[in-house]
Amino acid sequence: MMISDFIKNKHLANRAGFGMSLQQITDFEQQSPKAIWNVYAQARPFHPISFSSEQRAVDYTTLSQLNASDKKLVQQLNRKRNIEINLNFLEAMVHGEDQLREKMAFFWHGHFASRVINANFSAHLLNEIRKHALGNFRDLLFAVSKAPAMLSFLNNQQNKKGHPNENFAREVMELFTMGRGNYTELDVREAARAFTGWSYDKDGQFLERRKFHDIGSKTFLGKTANFDGNDILDSILEQPVTARFITRKLYRFLVNEQVDEEIVSLLSRNFYHSGYDIKQLVNSIFTADWFYDSKHIGNKVKAPIELMAGIMRMLPMEIAYPENLIIYQKLLGQMLLYPPNVSGWPSGKAWIDSSTLLLRMQLPQIWSGLRPLDLDVHNDDDLDMGLKQSRALEKAYKNPKISIDWSTVEVTFGGRDPFRILLQGQISFEKALRDEYDSKNIRLAIIEAMSIPEYQLC
């Protein structure tokens, strides 16, 4: 079956970014996939994400020195800043020009899953991930492994000579690099000894505490030497299985949950021999003919963040209470900065159940003001990051004050079929739906197209 360039371009927009924006429609209709990819692949300056306050949050190593009242204020301040970091990251996904960087950062954010309250740590880790998202995997791995957020989350500040804590060493191998089955329990114990003393100071700077480091000989992956943490990471990167583990996971994220092992083998070999060049790997995927095969188009369930960002990119909107977006993230099951555990978020059909599917399909209507939110948010101070619902804010999320610039949308969509623009593949009842609307009802047609099950796929 011949696939039009427009369908290919929409496919690329969904996988290399967070969907097509309103401003991109004309370009995507007129340009070739190669030309569109060249836009995504452009090198752009890196702009870090932060919070607005210049005052640094108190490092959690000093919390024990505070009284209960001051400790509570510090925690509230950090939670408020984490909300701001969350929303700034989402804003970059929606409006940032560097869509490929933000999409890859979203991938690595789930891969290197971490969950800490300290906002300085959160911002630092997120920016390290975003900075290296399309760079070299070695640089990314070292940056993340030495980030205070990850060292804290995986308890390596408790990893000391004579009393090794294996949590950090195990997760680095199992979840971040080689995958389960490619190392032994001896490797975990010896790697933990090598990582002893890896910590951070009161300002959140990486610090090797030499007096806590085990300087003894260690045997790791069949080699014996006086390894330290850097040596362990380099030894892991020397293993071709590491390149395959990363490539396979990225294939599932960018291409298809059903993995073509032959293609992954070829990609991973090239990735390994490139010295772990992430940009080269991504380029190999998005410029391959097989990427545009019909079996890869419209086959993935959008993650909640992808769904929200996609709607926001297509419909220009002003949001009176941006904090409400945290609530929708929570209800849909994916809060940025707050993965459920070190394994990160699920994927594919795991996002869909009876309650979330209904909310996902109603989201365009709720945000357009056609219906209220019928669900209540349960209090969970940890997950809410301290976001307390006042009566006014609760009313706002039930009937969010979102104004959509429908006049611009209608001008752009004028003469265009919204189902063709918004849906990736053909649907059996598309013509019946389309016939319900004429040019005067383009607004309702767009909302309807975004509210059917097929819009959940990309």
Side-chain angles (χ1 to χ4, degrees), residues 124-140:
H124 173 263
L125 178 60
L126 178 58
N127 284 321
E128 288 297 309
I129 286 173
R130 293 176 64 248
K131 181 169 65 177
H132 298 291
L134 289 167
N136 185 279
F137 180 71
R138 182 185 187 277
D139 295 338
L140 174 60

Side-chain angles (χ1 to χ4, degrees), residues 193-321:
R193 292 177 56 211
F195 285 120
T196 50
W198 274 31
S199 187
Y200 49 88
D201 62 20
K202 61 183 179 62
D203 295 317
Q205 299 296 314
F206 174 73
L207 180 66
E208 292 185 79
R209 301 185 185 278
R210 302 308 300 176
K211 67 177 182 178
F212 294 139
H213 178 64
D214 185 337
I215 61 174
S217 180
K218 310 165 188 75
T219 299
F220 181 70
L221 297 178
K223 297 181 179 180
T224 302
N226 181 15
F227 293 128
D228 63 13
N230 296 311
D231 299 321
I232 296 298
L233 295 182
D234 277 329
S235 295
I236 288 172
L237 292 167
E238 289 172 2
Q239 312 305 311
V241 70
T242 297
R244 184 178 180 87
F245 179 80
I246 298 300
T247 302
R248 195 175 192 277
K249 188 168 182 178
L250 189 59
Y251 182 96
R252 294 183 67 226
F253 179 76
L254 294 177
V255 183
N256 200 316
E257 291 275 341
Q258 304 301 315
V259 176
D260 186 319
E261 300 293 354
E262 185 175 344
I263 289 177
V264 166
S265 293
L266 176 61
L267 290 171
S268 66
R269 284 196 299 271
N270 292 337
F271 185 41
Y272 182 78
H273 291 300
S274 75
Y276 290 95
D277 187 325
I278 301 169
K279 183 69 171 288
Q280 183 174 312
L281 173 60
V282 171
N283 183 74
S284 297
I285 293 173
F286 290 132
T287 58
D289 290 339
W290 52 258
F291 174 73
Y292 298 97
D293 191 290
S294 59
K295 67 182 179 182
H296 299 314
I297 296 177
N299 74 331
K300 287 182 88 282
V301 177
K302 296 175 185 176
I305 293 296
E306 292 174 316
L307 177 66
M308 291 175 61
I311 295 173
M312 294 167 71
R313 276 179 64 74
M314 182 57 67
L315 302 180
M317 57 180 67
E318 293 290 334
I319 306 174
Y321 301 105

